[in-house]
Short mmCIF file of all heavy atoms in Angstrom, two decimals:
data_model
loop_
_atom_site.label_atom_id
_atom_site.label_comp_id
_atom_site.label_asym_id
_atom_site.label_seq_id
_atom_site.Cartn_x
_atom_site.Cartn_y
_atom_site.Cartn_z
N SER A 294 5.28 -21.43 0.47
CA SER A 294 6.08 -21.27 -0.74
C SER A 294 7.12 -20.19 -0.50
O SER A 294 6.94 -19.33 0.37
CB SER A 294 5.19 -20.91 -1.93
OG SER A 294 5.96 -20.43 -3.02
N ILE A 295 8.21 -20.24 -1.24
CA ILE A 295 9.22 -19.19 -1.17
C ILE A 295 9.08 -18.22 -2.32
O ILE A 295 9.19 -17.00 -2.14
CB ILE A 295 10.64 -19.82 -1.18
CG1 ILE A 295 10.86 -20.60 0.12
CG2 ILE A 295 11.70 -18.75 -1.35
CD1 ILE A 295 12.22 -21.27 0.21
N LEU A 296 8.80 -18.73 -3.50
CA LEU A 296 8.77 -17.87 -4.68
C LEU A 296 7.52 -16.98 -4.72
O LEU A 296 7.59 -15.85 -5.21
CB LEU A 296 8.83 -18.73 -5.95
CG LEU A 296 10.13 -19.52 -6.14
CD1 LEU A 296 10.08 -20.34 -7.41
CD2 LEU A 296 11.33 -18.58 -6.16
N VAL A 297 6.39 -17.46 -4.23
CA VAL A 297 5.17 -16.65 -4.25
C VAL A 297 5.30 -15.40 -3.37
O VAL A 297 5.01 -14.29 -3.81
CB VAL A 297 3.94 -17.49 -3.85
CG1 VAL A 297 2.72 -16.60 -3.65
CG2 VAL A 297 3.65 -18.53 -4.93
N PRO A 298 5.77 -15.52 -2.10
CA PRO A 298 5.98 -14.31 -1.31
C PRO A 298 7.06 -13.40 -1.90
O PRO A 298 6.93 -12.17 -1.83
CB PRO A 298 6.42 -14.85 0.06
CG PRO A 298 5.92 -16.23 0.11
CD PRO A 298 5.98 -16.74 -1.29
N LEU A 299 8.10 -13.98 -2.48
CA LEU A 299 9.16 -13.16 -3.09
C LEU A 299 8.60 -12.35 -4.26
O LEU A 299 8.88 -11.15 -4.41
CB LEU A 299 10.30 -14.07 -3.57
CG LEU A 299 11.49 -13.37 -4.23
CD1 LEU A 299 12.16 -12.43 -3.24
CD2 LEU A 299 12.48 -14.40 -4.76
N LYS A 300 7.80 -13.02 -5.08
CA LYS A 300 7.15 -12.33 -6.20
C LYS A 300 6.22 -11.23 -5.70
O LYS A 300 6.16 -10.14 -6.27
CB LYS A 300 6.38 -13.36 -7.02
CG LYS A 300 5.52 -12.80 -8.11
CD LYS A 300 4.06 -13.13 -8.00
CE LYS A 300 3.63 -14.15 -7.05
NZ LYS A 300 2.32 -13.87 -6.47
N ALA A 301 5.49 -11.48 -4.61
CA ALA A 301 4.58 -10.47 -4.06
C ALA A 301 5.34 -9.25 -3.59
O ALA A 301 4.93 -8.10 -3.84
CB ALA A 301 3.79 -11.08 -2.90
N ALA A 302 6.48 -9.46 -2.90
CA ALA A 302 7.27 -8.33 -2.39
C ALA A 302 7.90 -7.54 -3.52
O ALA A 302 7.87 -6.29 -3.52
CB ALA A 302 8.34 -8.85 -1.44
N LEU A 303 8.47 -8.21 -4.51
CA LEU A 303 9.10 -7.51 -5.63
C LEU A 303 8.07 -6.74 -6.45
O LEU A 303 8.32 -5.63 -6.90
CB LEU A 303 9.85 -8.51 -6.52
CG LEU A 303 11.07 -9.18 -5.87
CD1 LEU A 303 11.69 -10.19 -6.83
CD2 LEU A 303 12.11 -8.14 -5.46
N GLY A 304 6.90 -7.33 -6.64
CA GLY A 304 5.84 -6.64 -7.36
C GLY A 304 5.38 -5.39 -6.64
O GLY A 304 5.14 -4.34 -7.27
N PHE A 305 5.29 -5.45 -5.31
CA PHE A 305 4.92 -4.28 -4.53
C PHE A 305 5.96 -3.17 -4.68
O PHE A 305 5.63 -2.00 -4.90
CB PHE A 305 4.76 -4.66 -3.06
CG PHE A 305 4.95 -3.52 -2.12
CD1 PHE A 305 3.97 -2.54 -2.00
CD2 PHE A 305 6.10 -3.41 -1.36
CE1 PHE A 305 4.16 -1.48 -1.13
CE2 PHE A 305 6.29 -2.36 -0.50
CZ PHE A 305 5.31 -1.38 -0.39
N LEU A 306 7.24 -3.52 -4.57
CA LEU A 306 8.29 -2.52 -4.71
C LEU A 306 8.24 -1.86 -6.10
O LEU A 306 8.42 -0.64 -6.23
CB LEU A 306 9.67 -3.16 -4.48
CG LEU A 306 9.95 -3.64 -3.06
CD1 LEU A 306 11.28 -4.37 -3.00
CD2 LEU A 306 9.94 -2.47 -2.09
N LEU A 307 7.98 -2.66 -7.11
CA LEU A 307 7.89 -2.11 -8.47
C LEU A 307 6.74 -1.12 -8.60
O LEU A 307 6.90 -0.03 -9.19
CB LEU A 307 7.72 -3.25 -9.47
CG LEU A 307 7.69 -2.88 -10.96
CD1 LEU A 307 8.98 -2.19 -11.37
CD2 LEU A 307 7.45 -4.12 -11.81
N SER A 308 5.59 -1.44 -8.04
CA SER A 308 4.44 -0.55 -8.15
C SER A 308 4.65 0.73 -7.34
O SER A 308 4.27 1.83 -7.79
CB SER A 308 3.16 -1.26 -7.69
OG SER A 308 3.27 -1.66 -6.33
N VAL A 309 5.28 0.64 -6.16
CA VAL A 309 5.52 1.84 -5.35
C VAL A 309 6.53 2.76 -6.02
O VAL A 309 6.35 3.99 -6.06
CB VAL A 309 5.99 1.44 -3.93
CG1 VAL A 309 6.55 2.64 -3.19
CG2 VAL A 309 4.83 0.87 -3.14
N VAL A 310 7.63 2.20 -6.55
CA VAL A 310 8.63 3.04 -7.21
C VAL A 310 8.03 3.69 -8.45
O VAL A 310 8.30 4.86 -8.75
CB VAL A 310 9.87 2.20 -7.57
CG1 VAL A 310 10.86 3.03 -8.38
CG2 VAL A 310 10.54 1.69 -6.31
N ALA A 311 7.19 2.96 -9.19
CA ALA A 311 6.52 3.55 -10.35
C ALA A 311 5.59 4.69 -9.93
O ALA A 311 5.54 5.73 -10.59
CB ALA A 311 5.74 2.47 -11.11
N ALA A 312 4.87 4.50 -8.83
CA ALA A 312 4.00 5.57 -8.34
C ALA A 312 4.81 6.79 -7.91
O ALA A 312 4.41 7.94 -8.19
CB ALA A 312 3.15 5.05 -7.18
N LEU A 313 5.94 6.56 -7.25
CA LEU A 313 6.81 7.69 -6.89
C LEU A 313 7.34 8.39 -8.13
O LEU A 313 7.47 9.62 -8.15
CB LEU A 313 7.98 7.20 -6.04
CG LEU A 313 7.68 6.92 -4.56
CD1 LEU A 313 8.90 6.32 -3.87
CD2 LEU A 313 7.24 8.18 -3.85
N GLY A 314 7.64 7.63 -9.17
CA GLY A 314 8.06 8.24 -10.43
C GLY A 314 6.99 9.14 -11.01
O GLY A 314 7.28 10.24 -11.51
N ALA A 315 5.73 8.68 -10.95
CA ALA A 315 4.63 9.51 -11.45
C ALA A 315 4.46 10.77 -10.60
O ALA A 315 4.20 11.87 -11.13
CB ALA A 315 3.33 8.69 -11.45
N VAL A 316 4.63 10.64 -9.28
CA VAL A 316 4.52 11.81 -8.40
C VAL A 316 5.62 12.82 -8.71
O VAL A 316 5.37 14.04 -8.78
CB VAL A 316 4.59 11.37 -6.92
CG1 VAL A 316 4.70 12.58 -6.00
CG2 VAL A 316 3.35 10.57 -6.56
N VAL A 317 6.84 12.35 -8.91
CA VAL A 317 7.95 13.24 -9.25
C VAL A 317 7.69 13.95 -10.57
O VAL A 317 7.90 15.16 -10.71
CB VAL A 317 9.28 12.45 -9.30
CG1 VAL A 317 10.39 13.30 -9.89
CG2 VAL A 317 9.67 11.98 -7.91
N ALA A 318 7.22 13.19 -11.57
CA ALA A 318 6.97 13.78 -12.88
C ALA A 318 5.92 14.88 -12.82
O ALA A 318 6.05 15.92 -13.49
CB ALA A 318 6.54 12.69 -13.87
N VAL A 319 4.88 14.70 -12.01
CA VAL A 319 3.78 15.67 -11.96
C VAL A 319 4.08 16.82 -11.00
O VAL A 319 3.96 18.00 -11.36
CB VAL A 319 2.46 14.96 -11.57
CG1 VAL A 319 1.35 16.00 -11.36
CG2 VAL A 319 2.05 13.96 -12.64
N PHE A 320 4.49 16.51 -9.79
CA PHE A 320 4.60 17.55 -8.75
C PHE A 320 5.99 18.16 -8.63
O PHE A 320 6.12 19.26 -8.09
CB PHE A 320 4.18 16.96 -7.39
CG PHE A 320 2.72 16.67 -7.29
CD1 PHE A 320 2.21 15.45 -7.68
CD2 PHE A 320 1.84 17.62 -6.82
CE1 PHE A 320 0.86 15.18 -7.60
CE2 PHE A 320 0.48 17.37 -6.73
CZ PHE A 320 -0.01 16.14 -7.13
N GLN A 321 7.03 17.46 -9.11
CA GLN A 321 8.37 18.03 -9.04
C GLN A 321 8.81 18.60 -10.38
O GLN A 321 9.42 19.67 -10.44
CB GLN A 321 9.36 16.96 -8.58
CG GLN A 321 10.78 17.46 -8.33
CD GLN A 321 11.67 16.37 -7.77
OE1 GLN A 321 11.33 15.71 -6.79
NE2 GLN A 321 12.83 16.16 -8.40
N TRP A 322 8.47 17.89 -11.46
CA TRP A 322 8.85 18.36 -12.79
C TRP A 322 7.74 19.16 -13.48
O TRP A 322 8.01 19.89 -14.43
CB TRP A 322 9.23 17.18 -13.68
CG TRP A 322 10.47 16.47 -13.23
CD1 TRP A 322 11.30 16.82 -12.20
CD2 TRP A 322 11.03 15.27 -13.79
NE1 TRP A 322 12.32 15.93 -12.08
CE2 TRP A 322 12.19 14.97 -13.04
CE3 TRP A 322 10.67 14.45 -14.84
CZ2 TRP A 322 12.99 13.86 -13.33
CZ3 TRP A 322 11.44 13.34 -15.11
CH2 TRP A 322 12.60 13.05 -14.37
N GLY A 323 6.50 18.99 -13.05
CA GLY A 323 5.41 19.76 -13.63
C GLY A 323 4.76 19.16 -14.85
O GLY A 323 3.92 19.81 -15.48
N TRP A 324 5.08 17.89 -15.18
CA TRP A 324 4.42 17.27 -16.33
C TRP A 324 2.94 17.07 -16.02
O TRP A 324 2.57 16.53 -14.98
CB TRP A 324 5.04 15.91 -16.64
CG TRP A 324 6.48 15.98 -17.10
CD1 TRP A 324 7.24 17.10 -17.20
CD2 TRP A 324 7.30 14.88 -17.50
NE1 TRP A 324 8.50 16.77 -17.65
CE2 TRP A 324 8.57 15.42 -17.84
CE3 TRP A 324 7.12 13.51 -17.59
CZ2 TRP A 324 9.63 14.63 -18.27
CZ3 TRP A 324 8.16 12.72 -18.02
CH2 TRP A 324 9.40 13.26 -18.36
N LEU A 325 2.09 17.54 -16.92
CA LEU A 325 0.63 17.47 -16.73
C LEU A 325 0.20 18.16 -15.44
O LEU A 325 -0.86 17.86 -14.88
CB LEU A 325 0.14 16.01 -16.73
CG LEU A 325 0.40 15.19 -18.01
CD1 LEU A 325 -0.07 13.75 -17.80
CD2 LEU A 325 -0.29 15.81 -19.20
N GLY A 326 1.01 19.10 -14.95
CA GLY A 326 0.70 19.79 -13.71
C GLY A 326 -0.61 20.55 -13.77
O GLY A 326 -1.38 20.56 -12.80
N SER A 327 -0.89 21.17 -14.90
CA SER A 327 -2.14 21.94 -15.03
C SER A 327 -3.35 21.03 -14.97
O SER A 327 -4.42 21.42 -14.50
CB SER A 327 -2.13 22.73 -16.33
OG SER A 327 -1.98 21.85 -17.45
N VAL A 328 -3.21 19.79 -15.44
CA VAL A 328 -4.33 18.84 -15.42
C VAL A 328 -4.70 18.49 -13.98
O VAL A 328 -5.89 18.37 -13.64
CB VAL A 328 -3.98 17.56 -16.21
CG1 VAL A 328 -5.09 16.53 -16.10
CG2 VAL A 328 -3.70 17.91 -17.67
N PHE A 329 -3.69 18.35 -13.12
CA PHE A 329 -3.93 17.94 -11.73
C PHE A 329 -3.93 19.12 -10.77
O PHE A 329 -3.94 18.91 -9.55
CB PHE A 329 -2.88 16.91 -11.31
CG PHE A 329 -2.94 15.63 -12.09
CD1 PHE A 329 -2.03 15.38 -13.12
CD2 PHE A 329 -3.91 14.68 -11.83
CE1 PHE A 329 -2.08 14.20 -13.85
CE2 PHE A 329 -3.97 13.50 -12.56
CZ PHE A 329 -3.06 13.26 -13.57
N GLY A 330 -3.92 20.34 -11.29
CA GLY A 330 -4.03 21.52 -10.42
C GLY A 330 -2.80 21.81 -9.60
O GLY A 330 -2.90 22.33 -8.49
N VAL A 331 -1.60 21.51 -10.12
CA VAL A 331 -0.35 21.80 -9.41
C VAL A 331 -0.04 23.28 -9.58
O VAL A 331 0.24 23.73 -10.69
CB VAL A 331 0.80 20.92 -9.93
CG1 VAL A 331 2.09 21.24 -9.20
CG2 VAL A 331 0.45 19.45 -9.78
N GLU A 332 -0.05 24.03 -8.47
CA GLU A 332 0.18 25.47 -8.54
C GLU A 332 1.65 25.80 -8.72
O GLU A 332 2.00 26.73 -9.44
CB GLU A 332 -0.33 26.13 -7.25
CG GLU A 332 -1.83 26.01 -7.04
CD GLU A 332 -2.62 26.88 -7.99
OE1 GLU A 332 -2.05 27.84 -8.54
OE2 GLU A 332 -3.81 26.59 -8.21
N GLN A 333 2.52 25.06 -8.07
CA GLN A 333 3.95 25.34 -8.15
C GLN A 333 4.72 24.05 -7.92
O GLN A 333 4.44 23.32 -6.97
CB GLN A 333 4.36 26.38 -7.10
CG GLN A 333 5.82 26.76 -7.15
CD GLN A 333 6.15 27.86 -6.16
OE1 GLN A 333 5.28 28.54 -5.66
NE2 GLN A 333 7.44 28.04 -5.89
N THR A 334 5.67 23.77 -8.79
CA THR A 334 6.47 22.56 -8.63
C THR A 334 7.50 22.76 -7.52
O THR A 334 7.83 23.88 -7.15
CB THR A 334 7.20 22.21 -9.94
OG1 THR A 334 8.03 23.31 -10.31
CG2 THR A 334 6.20 21.93 -11.04
N GLY A 335 7.98 21.67 -6.99
CA GLY A 335 8.96 21.73 -5.91
C GLY A 335 9.26 20.35 -5.38
O GLY A 335 8.83 19.33 -5.96
#
Side-chain angles (χ1 to χ4, degrees):
S294 165
I295 292 179
L296 296 180
V297 170
L299 180 62
K300 173 240 347 146
L303 293 177
F305 156 73
L306 292 174
L307 183 60
S308 61
V309 166
V310 175
L313 282 175
V316 171
V317 170
V319 174
F320 290 89
Q321 186 176 308
W322 294 355
W324 295 2
L325 299 177
S327 58
V328 175
F329 297 101
V331 179
E332 296 288 339
Q333 182 176 344
T334 59

